[in-house]
Amino acid sequence: MRVAFTAVPDSHLPSVDELLTIAVTALGGSERQGQVTMVHAVQQAIDDEEHLAVQAGTGTGKSLAYLVPSIRHAMDSEAPVVISTATIALQRQLVDRDLPRLSEALGKELPHEPTFAILKGRRNYLCRYKATAGWPEDDEQDQLFDPREVSATGRMVQRIQEWAEETETGDRDELVPGVSEQAWRQFSVSAQECLGATRCPSGAECFAELARARAGEVDVVVTNHALLAIDAMGDLPVLPEHEVVVVDEAHELVDRVTSVVTAELSEQSVTLAVRRVGRLIDQPIADQLLEAGEDLKALLAAAPPGRIDELPQVLGLTLALVRDTAWRCITAMGSRNADKDDPDKAGQRKAAFTALDEVHDTAVRMLEAYGHASEADRAEVVWLDAATDRRPPMLRVAPLSVSGMLRDKLFGERTVVLTSATLALGGTFDGLAGQWGLSDSKGWQGIDVGSPFDHPKAGILYVAKHLPQPGRDGLPQQYLDEITELIEAAGGRTLGLFSSMRAAKAATEALRERLDVPLLCQGDDSTMLLVKQFAEDEPTCLFGTLSLWQGVDVPGPSLRLVIIDRVPFPRPDDPLTSARQRHVVAKGGNGFMAVAANHAALLLAQGAGRLLRAQDDKGVIAVLDPRLATARYGSFLLGSLPPFWRTTDPAIPRAALKRLSAES
């Protein structure tokens, strides 16, 4: 059921065309056809209460194209519009640059100057009470780290304490440089752990509550996909009541929602629950849960990592033991409202209940993931993640699809506009629409408003058809030779996007001796500093993996060549994507195309989008994997990319790069 708001007559409001003209003029830009088309489409979707997916290429000005009708609707309905992003970078762009300038430009034409606020999950804000009062500590793993790490955490804790005395927002992102999760946990609480504003001694000055109060008074609320999912799917609202949502960076929505609803269980989480229970229950009852955790630890240490398709008897018995002993502890705790007049004790009980509930509910969920009549009836997948230097082995459980959740909880309650530079995979919105739960729904449409770039004239898509198919034994020598010749032709100025960090590091190590231009590799320093160095020094090259595929914005002559080593299919042994692929097959679909090919198309399009960032940019996209030109699925992948001029002739991109290098 939709949220109902009483709208005021809109005859007194300027049209979106008038507002867009005012905004573009004030911001010193020029109207673009794609931007105008998108403004009209967003306004129409809001008016008709229909969902809309908009693919808007880089340079379209899509932020302005959805902010203008969103602000107009907020004024008309006296209800906020929620803007959701996947990345902190876009949140900052909206709140620090786009919205302040737009509000100032439109203020004189509207009933009042548009207002806005950013709202994040509770974990992102300093908890004043936890920072000043006794609270169950979460740093029980200190003994796992060497003294240098403990000392580094201690210095971060001291920085947080000093910052806590002066911050006005309590927002973790104010801390620059950032702090580790281990240090931050000592000053923050989850929504489940929070005592509540009315019961907490610091409730009146709670940073999270103050941020939420501000969000309830503004026209535009900027948030992230994770909090949007929590608000839509949770029992209690987190965001202010709203009837319109704009999901920017919508290509990441499914992954972010999946992360929110993925649960994990390990000996570490069981031990934390036992520690938090402390002396709140009889020791023998707590010891039973501790022993169950020890059984789980021994079992996971001996088990191979990967997907667990059938529930082994010993794992089923161990999970049942964890479930039952956690429930005994919960029962022994008694009333959840006990000690409500004593904040210290109430905080300890709330923390204990939160940890116990998580252990119990996750064990239940994992057991219920099995026993279905057929693969098509399966709803979730369970897998074991191998131990790392930082943590022990860990069981995880995640849904095979979030489409039903999104359809019922997000799209069923409000009008949603989804936008990104990459939504039409293989030339159609069907792939992502299916993942969002919109494919079988009426009342939505998808449009591609194009790009201001002349792709065939500005860029070449070169597929190295003559190279061998990539294997599992690292980069073949022919690939290294090809990369060397391309970079030499470009005079550096290259972003190398690799399918794995191992491949990126191997290429860096092999080519540093062969090239006479600076070569940076992700991991040498913070990604932000590496990208800055890459952008400021034209001959420099930068190699890296996933975050660079989507997180690099370097206009100008510093980037003339983007190299992609292979079609970025998900790893065959990835538990979640392989399970989703098998599930699609069990339901009669094409699992490879629905999951693996869609995944690859999305990343390929994002990677190719790094090349043209400004109107005068030119260059080459070089895909070394010949399958893009030879495989049956190649046309689908090519149909997901911008319409660059295509070639498989190695001489053409080399000549073009040499010409561009000579012009720089």
Side-chain angles (χ1 to χ4, degrees), residues 466-486:
H466 63 286
L467 292 179
Q469 288 193 18
R472 296 186 178 182
D473 300 325
L475 290 171
Q477 185 61 43
Q478 298 100 310
Y479 278 47
L480 295 174
D481 294 340
E482 187 80 19
I483 294 171
T484 300
E485 293 177 19
L486 288 166

Side-chain angles (χ1 to χ4, degrees), residues 253-565:
L253 180 63
V254 169
D255 285 346
R256 299 304 173 105
V257 173
T258 299
S259 294
V260 168
V261 294
T262 297
E264 54 193 38
L265 182 66
S266 68
E267 170 264 336
Q268 195 176 64
S269 55
V270 175
T271 302
L272 174 61
V274 173
R275 289 181 69 253
R276 286 190 172 181
V277 168
R279 298 177 182 175
L280 298 175
I281 63 175
D282 292 339
Q283 192 62 43
I285 299 176
D287 286 345
Q288 291 177 9
L289 179 57
L290 186 62
E291 290 170 6
E294 291 293 331
D295 290 347
L296 182 66
K297 176 182 179 181
L299 179 62
L300 299 187
R307 205 175 67 208
I308 306 173
D309 293 332
E310 301 296 333
L311 182 63
Q313 183 179 18
V314 64
L315 178 57
L317 292 172
T318 304
L319 287 174
L321 184 61
V322 170
R323 174 198 63 194
D324 295 342
T325 52
W327 182 251
R328 289 189 200 113
C329 291
I330 292 170
T331 303
M333 288 275 291
S335 171
R336 292 178 183 261
N337 294 319
D339 298 317
K340 62 181 180 180
D341 296 326
D342 184 332
D344 286 349
K345 290 184 178 179
Q348 292 172 5
R349 292 181 63 81
K350 192 75 181 287
F353 271 121
T354 298
L356 288 169
D357 286 341
E358 184 175 331
V359 168
H360 173 268
D361 294 350
T362 303
V364 169
R365 186 173 160 189
M366 289 177 174
L367 288 166
E368 291 179 348
Y370 299 96
H372 299 288
S374 68
E375 178 61 35
D377 297 324
R378 190 190 295 264
E380 300 205 286
V381 58
V382 178
W383 73 94
L384 176 62
D385 267 351
T388 69
D389 293 339
R390 291 270 183 174
R391 59 161 181 78
M394 182 174 291
L395 283 172
R396 298 185 192 273
V397 57
L400 289 166
S401 171
V402 295
S403 61
M405 301 178 198
L406 289 172
R407 180 181 61 245
D408 298 338
K409 300 294 187 179
L410 179 62
F411 296 106
E413 298 292 329
R414 52 193 63 79
T415 299
V416 183
V417 175
L418 306 112
T419 187
S420 169
T422 310
L423 292 181
L425 304 180
T428 173
F429 291 90
D430 292 348
L432 285 178
Q435 295 179 24
W436 296 329
L438 288 179
S439 57
D440 299 325
S441 305
K442 296 181 180 179
W444 79 279
Q445 67 166 324
I447 63 167
D448 183 351
V449 300
S451 166
F453 300 138
D454 188 344
H455 286 92
K457 290 185 177 180
I460 295 172
L461 173 62
Y462 161 57
V463 182
K465 187 178 178 181
H466 63 286
L467 292 179
Q469 288 193 18
R472 296 186 178 182
D473 300 325
L475 290 171
Q477 185 61 43
Q478 298 100 310
Y479 278 47
L480 295 174
D481 294 340
E482 187 80 19
I483 294 171
T484 300
E485 293 177 19
L486 288 166
I487 291 177
E488 287 175 342
R493 303 180 177 88
T494 299
L495 178 66
L497 302 177
F498 293 84
S499 55
S500 70
M501 185 56 74
R502 185 179 69 171
K505 289 182 176 179
T508 301
E509 185 177 341
L511 297 181
R512 271 181 174 154
E513 298 177 359
R514 299 174 61 174
L515 296 169
D516 57 2
V517 294
L519 178 52
L520 307 175
C521 185
Q522 193 174 5
D524 291 347
D525 206 332
S526 74
T527 299
M528 181 177 68
L529 291 176
L530 290 173
V531 172
K532 184 174 184 291
Q533 187 176 344
F534 171 61
E536 292 176 351
D537 183 29
E538 284 189 24
T540 296
C541 302
L542 175 60
F543 287 1
T545 186
L546 189 59
S547 62
L548 297 187
W549 287 72
Q550 306 184 65
V552 175
D553 186 4
V554 179
S558 290
L559 178 53
R560 293 300 195 203
L561 171 63
V562 175
I563 294 176
I564 297 174
D565 71 328

Side-chain angles (χ1 to χ4, degrees), residues 37-91:
T37 301
M38 182 171 173
V39 164
H40 291 160
V42 173
Q43 183 62 53
Q44 193 66 49
I46 292 173
D47 290 344
D48 295 345
E49 296 187 351
E50 288 192 345
H51 306 308
L52 174 70
V54 186
Q55 178 163 285
T58 302
T60 302
K62 66 176 170 24
S63 297
L64 205 60
Y66 63 67
L67 286 174
V68 165
S70 294
I71 288 172
R72 187 180 187 278
H73 174 74
M75 295 285 173
D76 182 31
S77 65
E78 298 184 349
V81 171
V82 172
I83 311 293
S84 179
T85 77
T87 62
I88 293 174
L90 182 53
Q91 285 182 27

Side-chain angles (χ1 to χ4, degrees), residues 79-113:
V81 171
V82 172
I83 311 293
S84 179
T85 77
T87 62
I88 293 174
L90 182 53
Q91 285 182 27
R92 287 175 174 164
Q93 175 189 315
L94 291 171
V95 172
D96 296 340
R97 190 187 74 182
D98 295 350
L99 280 165
R101 297 164 68 196
L102 188 58
S103 295
E104 183 179 358
L106 299 183
K108 295 179 182 179
E109 310 298 327
L110 296 170
H112 64 261
E113 185 170 304

